[in-house]
PDB file of all heavy atoms in Angstrom:
ATOM      1  N   ALA R 196      10.665   6.507  24.565  1.00  0.00           N
ATOM      2  CA  ALA R 196      10.831   5.188  24.021  1.00  0.00           C
ATOM      3  C   ALA R 196       9.864   4.939  22.881  1.00  0.00           C
ATOM      4  O   ALA R 196      10.230   4.231  21.852  1.00  0.00           O
ATOM      5  CB  ALA R 196      10.584   4.115  25.186  1.00  0.00           C
ATOM      6  N   VAL R 197       8.739   5.571  22.881  1.00  0.00           N
ATOM      7  CA  VAL R 197       7.754   5.433  21.828  1.00  0.00           C
ATOM      8  C   VAL R 197       8.331   5.995  20.455  1.00  0.00           C
ATOM      9  O   VAL R 197       8.220   5.388  19.465  1.00  0.00           O
ATOM     10  CB  VAL R 197       6.357   6.015  22.072  1.00  0.00           C
ATOM     11  CG1 VAL R 197       5.508   6.170  20.931  1.00  0.00           C
ATOM     12  CG2 VAL R 197       5.651   5.205  23.148  1.00  0.00           C
ATOM     13  N   ALA R 198       8.873   7.241  20.665  1.00  0.00           N
ATOM     14  CA  ALA R 198       9.552   7.845  19.468  1.00  0.00           C
ATOM     15  C   ALA R 198      10.718   6.935  19.014  1.00  0.00           C
ATOM     16  O   ALA R 198      10.875   6.763  17.730  1.00  0.00           O
ATOM     17  CB  ALA R 198      10.021   9.208  19.862  1.00  0.00           C
ATOM     18  N   GLN R 199      11.426   6.441  19.919  1.00  0.00           N
ATOM     19  CA  GLN R 199      12.596   5.585  19.477  1.00  0.00           C
ATOM     20  C   GLN R 199      12.052   4.308  18.770  1.00  0.00           C
ATOM     21  O   GLN R 199      12.621   3.841  17.781  1.00  0.00           O
ATOM     22  CB  GLN R 199      13.491   5.159  20.743  1.00  0.00           C
ATOM     23  CG  GLN R 199      14.110   6.373  21.363  1.00  0.00           C
ATOM     24  CD  GLN R 199      14.889   5.967  22.575  1.00  0.00           C
ATOM     25  OE1 GLN R 199      14.582   4.949  23.322  1.00  0.00           O
ATOM     26  NE2 GLN R 199      15.881   6.790  23.082  1.00  0.00           N
ATOM     27  N   TYR R 200      11.059   3.801  19.292  1.00  0.00           N
ATOM     28  CA  TYR R 200      10.396   2.520  18.781  1.00  0.00           C
ATOM     29  C   TYR R 200       9.881   2.759  17.351  1.00  0.00           C
ATOM     30  O   TYR R 200      10.155   1.974  16.449  1.00  0.00           O
ATOM     31  CB  TYR R 200       9.206   2.200  19.640  1.00  0.00           C
ATOM     32  CG  TYR R 200       8.342   0.983  19.237  1.00  0.00           C
ATOM     33  CD1 TYR R 200       8.776  -0.263  19.580  1.00  0.00           C
ATOM     34  CD2 TYR R 200       7.250   1.091  18.561  1.00  0.00           C
ATOM     35  CE1 TYR R 200       8.086  -1.381  19.198  1.00  0.00           C
ATOM     36  CE2 TYR R 200       6.446  -0.073  18.151  1.00  0.00           C
ATOM     37  CZ  TYR R 200       6.869  -1.249  18.522  1.00  0.00           C
ATOM     38  OH  TYR R 200       6.196  -2.389  18.094  1.00  0.00           O
ATOM     39  N   LEU R 201       9.218   3.898  17.057  1.00  0.00           N
ATOM     40  CA  LEU R 201       8.787   4.181  15.778  1.00  0.00           C
ATOM     41  C   LEU R 201       9.937   4.369  14.817  1.00  0.00           C
ATOM     42  O   LEU R 201       9.890   3.833  13.625  1.00  0.00           O
ATOM     43  CB  LEU R 201       7.855   5.399  15.758  1.00  0.00           C
ATOM     44  CG  LEU R 201       6.541   5.297  16.449  1.00  0.00           C
ATOM     45  CD1 LEU R 201       5.852   6.709  16.732  1.00  0.00           C
ATOM     46  CD2 LEU R 201       5.593   4.456  15.658  1.00  0.00           C
ATOM     47  N   ARG R 202      10.939   5.170  15.182  1.00  0.00           N
ATOM     48  CA  ARG R 202      12.103   5.328  14.280  1.00  0.00           C
ATOM     49  C   ARG R 202      12.854   4.078  14.007  1.00  0.00           C
ATOM     50  O   ARG R 202      13.284   3.786  12.912  1.00  0.00           O
ATOM     51  CB  ARG R 202      13.025   6.405  14.951  1.00  0.00           C
ATOM     52  CG  ARG R 202      12.403   7.851  15.022  1.00  0.00           C
ATOM     53  CD  ARG R 202      13.449   8.727  15.510  1.00  0.00           C
ATOM     54  NE  ARG R 202      12.764  10.158  15.738  1.00  0.00           N
ATOM     55  CZ  ARG R 202      12.575  10.616  16.884  1.00  0.00           C
ATOM     56  NH1 ARG R 202      12.880   9.990  17.998  1.00  0.00           N
ATOM     57  NH2 ARG R 202      11.886  11.863  17.065  1.00  0.00           N
ATOM     58  N   HIS R 203      12.900   3.260  15.052  1.00  0.00           N
ATOM     59  CA  HIS R 203      13.635   1.963  14.884  1.00  0.00           C
ATOM     60  C   HIS R 203      12.908   1.047  13.882  1.00  0.00           C
ATOM     61  O   HIS R 203      13.589   0.533  13.002  1.00  0.00           O
ATOM     62  CB  HIS R 203      13.789   1.284  16.240  1.00  0.00           C
ATOM     63  CG  HIS R 203      14.270  -0.170  16.184  1.00  0.00           C
ATOM     64  ND1 HIS R 203      15.631  -0.421  16.011  1.00  0.00           N
ATOM     65  CD2 HIS R 203      13.580  -1.304  16.318  1.00  0.00           C
ATOM     66  CE1 HIS R 203      15.747  -1.719  15.998  1.00  0.00           C
ATOM     67  NE2 HIS R 203      14.511  -2.335  16.167  1.00  0.00           N
ATOM     68  N   ARG R 204      11.656   0.914  13.972  1.00  0.00           N
ATOM     69  CA  ARG R 204      10.890   0.098  13.051  1.00  0.00           C
ATOM     70  C   ARG R 204      10.843   0.635  11.625  1.00  0.00           C
ATOM     71  O   ARG R 204      11.032  -0.193  10.709  1.00  0.00           O
ATOM     72  CB  ARG R 204       9.409  -0.095  13.616  1.00  0.00           C
ATOM     73  CG  ARG R 204       9.267  -0.935  14.885  1.00  0.00           C
ATOM     74  CD  ARG R 204       7.838  -1.234  15.220  1.00  0.00           C
ATOM     75  NE  ARG R 204       7.337  -2.374  14.329  1.00  0.00           N
ATOM     76  CZ  ARG R 204       7.329  -3.586  14.638  1.00  0.00           C
ATOM     77  NH1 ARG R 204       7.764  -4.001  15.888  1.00  0.00           N
ATOM     78  NH2 ARG R 204       6.832  -4.474  13.789  1.00  0.00           N
ATOM     79  N   LEU R 205      10.771   1.911  11.460  1.00  0.00           N
ATOM     80  CA  LEU R 205      10.928   2.455  10.217  1.00  0.00           C
ATOM     81  C   LEU R 205      12.296   2.238   9.566  1.00  0.00           C
ATOM     82  O   LEU R 205      12.373   1.918   8.400  1.00  0.00           O
ATOM     83  CB  LEU R 205      10.679   3.992  10.274  1.00  0.00           C
ATOM     84  CG  LEU R 205       9.211   4.443  10.564  1.00  0.00           C
ATOM     85  CD1 LEU R 205       9.186   5.946  10.893  1.00  0.00           C
ATOM     86  CD2 LEU R 205       8.333   4.181   9.383  1.00  0.00           C
ATOM     87  N   ALA R 206      13.349   2.391  10.317  1.00  0.00           N
ATOM     88  CA  ALA R 206      14.703   2.163   9.826  1.00  0.00           C
ATOM     89  C   ALA R 206      14.863   0.677   9.397  1.00  0.00           C
ATOM     90  O   ALA R 206      15.413   0.278   8.411  1.00  0.00           O
ATOM     91  CB  ALA R 206      15.673   2.477  10.976  1.00  0.00           C
ATOM     92  N   GLN R 207      14.318  -0.257  10.352  1.00  0.00           N
ATOM     93  CA  GLN R 207      14.379  -1.622   9.956  1.00  0.00           C
ATOM     94  C   GLN R 207      13.656  -2.028   8.673  1.00  0.00           C
ATOM     95  O   GLN R 207      13.942  -3.046   7.992  1.00  0.00           O
ATOM     96  CB  GLN R 207      13.836  -2.548  11.114  1.00  0.00           C
ATOM     97  CG  GLN R 207      14.701  -2.615  12.360  1.00  0.00           C
ATOM     98  CD  GLN R 207      16.072  -3.159  12.114  1.00  0.00           C
ATOM     99  OE1 GLN R 207      16.177  -4.158  11.524  1.00  0.00           O
ATOM    100  NE2 GLN R 207      17.092  -2.423  12.500  1.00  0.00           N
ATOM    101  N   ALA R 208      12.531  -1.201   8.335  1.00  0.00           N
ATOM    102  CA  ALA R 208      11.845  -1.452   7.121  1.00  0.00           C
ATOM    103  C   ALA R 208      12.421  -0.699   6.029  1.00  0.00           C
ATOM    104  O   ALA R 208      11.867  -0.756   4.926  1.00  0.00           O
ATOM    105  CB  ALA R 208      10.371  -0.969   7.448  1.00  0.00           C
ATOM    106  N   GLY R 209      13.604  -0.065   6.164  1.00  0.00           N
ATOM    107  CA  GLY R 209      14.251   0.438   4.995  1.00  0.00           C
ATOM    108  C   GLY R 209      14.107   2.013   4.845  1.00  0.00           C
ATOM    109  O   GLY R 209      14.647   2.540   3.898  1.00  0.00           O
ATOM    110  N   TYR R 210      13.471   2.624   5.826  1.00  0.00           N
ATOM    111  CA  TYR R 210      13.278   4.103   5.690  1.00  0.00           C
ATOM    112  C   TYR R 210      14.635   4.895   6.070  1.00  0.00           C
ATOM    113  O   TYR R 210      15.229   4.552   7.117  1.00  0.00           O
ATOM    114  CB  TYR R 210      12.048   4.621   6.616  1.00  0.00           C
ATOM    115  CG  TYR R 210      11.837   6.064   6.396  1.00  0.00           C
ATOM    116  CD1 TYR R 210      11.289   6.592   5.326  1.00  0.00           C
ATOM    117  CD2 TYR R 210      12.181   6.916   7.482  1.00  0.00           C
ATOM    118  CE1 TYR R 210      10.973   7.897   5.187  1.00  0.00           C
ATOM    119  CE2 TYR R 210      11.897   8.317   7.337  1.00  0.00           C
ATOM    120  CZ  TYR R 210      11.386   8.728   6.218  1.00  0.00           C
ATOM    121  OH  TYR R 210      11.074  10.098   6.060  1.00  0.00           O
ATOM    122  N   ASN R 211      14.983   5.805   5.285  1.00  0.00           N
ATOM    123  CA  ASN R 211      16.275   6.506   5.572  1.00  0.00           C
ATOM    124  C   ASN R 211      16.122   8.046   5.315  1.00  0.00           C
ATOM    125  O   ASN R 211      17.055   8.791   5.099  1.00  0.00           O
ATOM    126  CB  ASN R 211      17.442   6.009   4.762  1.00  0.00           C
ATOM    127  CG  ASN R 211      17.218   5.990   3.286  1.00  0.00           C
ATOM    128  OD1 ASN R 211      16.261   6.585   2.863  1.00  0.00           O
ATOM    129  ND2 ASN R 211      18.098   5.407   2.506  1.00  0.00           N
ATOM    130  N   GLY R 212      14.900   8.470   5.412  1.00  0.00           N
ATOM    131  CA  GLY R 212      14.634   9.970   5.184  1.00  0.00           C
ATOM    132  C   GLY R 212      14.614  10.694   6.494  1.00  0.00           C
ATOM    133  O   GLY R 212      15.094  10.272   7.581  1.00  0.00           O
ATOM    134  N   GLY R 213      13.928  11.870   6.551  1.00  0.00           N
ATOM    135  CA  GLY R 213      13.830  12.688   7.644  1.00  0.00           C
ATOM    136  C   GLY R 213      12.785  12.135   8.518  1.00  0.00           C
ATOM    137  O   GLY R 213      12.243  11.141   8.354  1.00  0.00           O
ATOM    138  N   ASP R 214      12.412  12.938   9.546  1.00  0.00           N
ATOM    139  CA  ASP R 214      11.325  12.434  10.555  1.00  0.00           C
ATOM    140  C   ASP R 214       9.970  12.169   9.780  1.00  0.00           C
ATOM    141  O   ASP R 214       9.399  13.173   9.341  1.00  0.00           O
ATOM    142  CB  ASP R 214      11.249  13.440  11.669  1.00  0.00           C
ATOM    143  CG  ASP R 214      12.373  13.460  12.641  1.00  0.00           C
ATOM    144  OD1 ASP R 214      13.064  12.332  12.668  1.00  0.00           O
ATOM    145  OD2 ASP R 214      12.555  14.367  13.322  1.00  0.00           O
ATOM    146  N   LEU R 215       9.613  11.005   9.780  1.00  0.00           N
ATOM    147  CA  LEU R 215       8.283  10.680   9.089  1.00  0.00           C
ATOM    148  C   LEU R 215       7.108  11.150   9.882  1.00  0.00           C
ATOM    149  O   LEU R 215       6.067  11.490   9.401  1.00  0.00           O
ATOM    150  CB  LEU R 215       8.244   9.200   8.678  1.00  0.00           C
ATOM    151  CG  LEU R 215       7.017   8.830   7.882  1.00  0.00           C
ATOM    152  CD1 LEU R 215       6.987   9.570   6.531  1.00  0.00           C
ATOM    153  CD2 LEU R 215       7.358   7.340   7.450  1.00  0.00           C
ATOM    154  N   PHE R 216       7.212  11.056  11.245  1.00  0.00           N
ATOM    155  CA  PHE R 216       6.172  11.468  12.175  1.00  0.00           C
ATOM    156  C   PHE R 216       6.463  12.828  12.703  1.00  0.00           C
ATOM    157  O   PHE R 216       7.593  13.017  13.346  1.00  0.00           O
ATOM    158  CB  PHE R 216       5.959  10.453  13.247  1.00  0.00           C
ATOM    159  CG  PHE R 216       5.308   9.076  12.797  1.00  0.00           C
ATOM    160  CD1 PHE R 216       6.140   8.131  12.226  1.00  0.00           C
ATOM    161  CD2 PHE R 216       3.997   9.039  12.880  1.00  0.00           C
ATOM    162  CE1 PHE R 216       5.603   7.001  11.813  1.00  0.00           C
ATOM    163  CE2 PHE R 216       3.391   7.791  12.466  1.00  0.00           C
ATOM    164  CZ  PHE R 216       4.257   6.755  12.009  1.00  0.00           C
ATOM    165  N   ALA R 217       5.606  13.819  12.599  1.00  0.00           N
ATOM    166  CA  ALA R 217       5.828  15.154  13.201  1.00  0.00           C
ATOM    167  C   ALA R 217       5.870  14.985  14.657  1.00  0.00           C
ATOM    168  O   ALA R 217       5.194  14.086  15.224  1.00  0.00           O
ATOM    169  CB  ALA R 217       4.739  16.026  12.802  1.00  0.00           C
TER     170      ALA R 217
END
Side-chain angles (χ1 to χ4, degrees):
V197 167
Q199 293 173 340
Y200 179 84
L201 290 168
R202 295 188 184 107
H203 172 74
R204 292 191 72 100
L205 288 169
Q207 291 297 314
Y210 184 73
N211 58 9
D214 287 339
L215 188 50
F216 288 84

